Amino acid sequence: MSESLSWVDTHCHIYDQKTDGGTQDALTVARDAGVRKMIVIGTDAITSQQAISLAADNDDVWATVGLHPHDAKFGFDALLPLLGSERVVAIGECGLDYFYDHSDRQSQREMFERQIATANELHLPLVIHTRDAWSETLEILDRVGIPQRTIFHCFTGGVAEATECLLRGAYLSFSGIVTFKSADDVRMAAKLCPIDRMLLETDSPYLAPVPFRGKTNHPALVSLVGKFLADLRGDSVAHIAHHTSANACLAFPGIAP
């Protein structure tokens, strides 16, 4: 069924060496599965440049430039020259990760604030990564100024967190996590989320959906996330595919036709 529909993977890392068969194979398989647009996400200067290079070589691929909270200690300055590329459609992923704390929390906060400010200055969407840091993530957004188009990537909160994000006009992007047995809170949030605020992603090569959990993920599997959400919400797969694809073009205007 999914092969006859059109999908958008709003968040993937297909430059990653873990990608099965390599980047070009992943792109080919995704296209064959009906994935019409893919956004490749930068997490530091190197991966942001890789994302831009992929986008330059593929008309159905776009890039973001971002500094992941894991790498916040290295600073944002090296990424600034990359923001001039016409293939860059968002800032991020950026945010706070208090689960791993690979960068000290002060650096995480400062670099998150800086990227929010940059997104506002350049009128670009903001892609957020938050883990074990919901209250501070929202506080910083409120204080610095939430960009008009803000995406909570790989949404892992529950109803309370979803409500707070939606009150701020944000999009919730659902990944394979919503299919995991332990993700009851995420499923409740997915049922609550209005269809016009829902996005799909793979976060590939990570977080492959059931029944491929534990294996290498790739953009073609975004359709499984969409089908799962359709079943969860009592909706049609076509309806989910249509609206999440349309939402992607609104959340990331740079990918719109």
Side-chain angles (χ1 to χ4, degrees):
M1 177 185 295
S2 62
E3 287 76 13
S4 64
L5 302 174
S6 295
W7 303 93
V8 177
D9 184 355
T10 63
H11 195 113
C12 59
H13 303 272
I14 52 175
Y15 47 72
D16 194 291
Q17 293 181 352
K18 298 183 182 71
T19 301
D20 279 347
T23 300
Q24 289 305 317
D25 185 63
L27 289 171
T28 298
V29 173
R31 291 162 182 152
D32 290 345
V35 182
R36 301 299 175 223
K37 300 175 187 285
M38 290 162 271
I39 301 176
V40 181
I41 305 295
T43 60
D44 58 18
I46 293 174
T47 56
S48 294
Q49 181 59 69
Q50 289 175 318
I52 291 169
S53 296
L54 271 174
D57 291 338
N58 296 274
D59 290 342
D60 53 359
V61 175
W62 289 263
T64 74
V65 168
L67 184 68
H68 194 284
H70 290 347
D71 298 303
K73 59 191 173 187
F74 300 116
F76 191 63
D77 287 350
L79 286 79
L80 292 175
L82 303 177
L83 293 171
S85 170
E86 63 180 10
R87 303 296 292 174
V88 171
V89 296
I91 301 289
E93 64 185 282
C94 60
L96 305 175
D97 194 313
Y98 290 174
F99 180 82
Y100 285 110
D101 279 326
H102 288 329
S103 286
D104 65 275
R105 294 187 178 184
Q106 183 59 30
S107 293
Q108 290 189 50
R109 290 188 287 267
E110 289 176 357
M111 291 303 102
F112 184 32
E113 291 178 11
R114 185 168 182 190
Q115 290 176 88
I116 297 170
T118 301
N120 281 321
E121 177 184 352
L122 299 179
H123 304 290
L124 284 171
L126 183 75
V127 179
I128 294 177
H129 169 113
T130 183
R131 188 167 186 186
D132 286 3
W134 276 105
S135 61
E136 194 153 7
T137 297
L138 295 171
E139 183 276 324
I140 290 173
L141 281 168
D142 289 343
R143 175 164 45 82
V144 180
I146 188 166
Q148 181 181 0
R149 298 174 180 86
T150 294
I151 298 92
F152 281 88
H153 130 73
C154 196
F155 184 81
T156 54
V159 167
E161 292 80 11
T163 300
E164 291 296 330
C165 295
L166 293 167
L167 284 172
R168 290 165 172 81
Y171 292 88
L172 308 184
S173 183
F174 293 95
S175 69
I177 287 178
V178 75
T179 72
F180 294 178
K181 185 177 180 180
S182 60
D184 287 338
D185 285 353
V186 180
R187 283 187 284 276
M188 291 176 66
K191 292 177 73 172
L192 165 80
C193 183
I195 190 65
D196 65 347
R197 288 288 157 181
M198 177 177 286
L199 298 172
L200 304 181
E201 65 171 90
T202 59
D203 201 19
S204 56
Y206 314 103
L207 303 176
V210 175
F212 299 101
R213 186 177 182 183
K215 299 182 179 179
T216 303
N217 201 4
H218 51 93
L221 297 184
V222 73
S223 63
L224 296 188
V225 179
K227 184 180 187 305
F228 184 91
L229 288 169
D231 291 343
L232 177 71
R233 292 164 61 96
D235 210 338
S236 71
V237 180
H239 192 247
I240 293 292
H242 170 75
H243 281 281
T244 57
S245 296
N247 294 343
C249 293
L250 295 173
F252 302 94
I255 77 169

